[in-house]
Amino acid sequence: VQLQASGGGLAQAGGSLRLSCAASGSFFFINTMGWYRQAPEKRRELVATITSDGSTNYADSVKGRFTISRDNAKNTMYLQMNSLKPEDTAVYYCTAAVRVAPNVQNNYWGRGTEVTVSS
């Protein structure tokens, strides 16, 4: 199973970016997916998660600005980021809990996509 994150880049404060995370490989289904981020010299932190049935959870710092969604038919997750702030600057990583066998679930991470927000 591989997760490929894309969509990062440079944005101005107040602007928007949309991240995507596509899962590929052989598996039964994808359970919870999520986005984490890691800013320079800081610990990796949770941004948002979404379950297979669409229940979402957000970090307080992004509530009302970011929206997580997924397309199960495409095995793809998205993160719409609006009203970006310089403090959103980080490398964003996607993660997924994937059922690879009837009784086996593994967690996978993508390589990350860099987001830079200028003031």
Side-chain angles (χ1 to χ4, degrees):
V1 177
Q2 291 187 332
L3 300 179
Q4 180 65 51
S6 62
L10 178 64
Q12 291 187 334
S16 299
L17 285 173
R18 189 192 195 207
L19 306 184
S20 299
C21 175
S24 61
S26 179
F27 50 85
F28 284 81
F29 72 89
I30 302 173
N31 204 332
T32 298
M33 303 182 78
W35 290 97
Y36 284 72
R37 67 186 181 186
Q38 187 167 16
E41 301 182 356
K42 292 189 177 181
R43 299 179 66 177
R44 189 173 296 189
E45 64 176 3
L46 172 70
V47 176
T49 60
I50 184 167
T51 64
S52 58
D53 63 358
S55 296
T56 59
N57 180 56
Y58 295 92
D60 288 342
S61 59
V62 306
K63 281 181 181 177
R65 300 188 298 120
F66 291 9
T67 302
I68 190 171
S69 61
R70 62 191 286 173
D71 184 334
N72 290 332
K74 296 182 179 179
N75 296 319
T76 301
M77 171 180 63
Y78 306 96
L79 185 68
Q80 179 66 43
M81 305 186 294
N82 298 329
S83 302
L84 283 164
K85 302 177 181 180
E87 51 263 45
D88 294 320
T89 295
V91 177
Y92 284 70
Y93 298 90
C94 59
T95 183
V98 182
R99 183 67 58 88
V100 296
N103 295 309
V104 179
Q105 179 168 285
N106 295 328
N107 290 320
Y108 296 89
W109 289 84
R111 284 192 173 184
T113 184
E114 189 167 358
V115 171
T116 302
V117 183
S118 62
S119 58

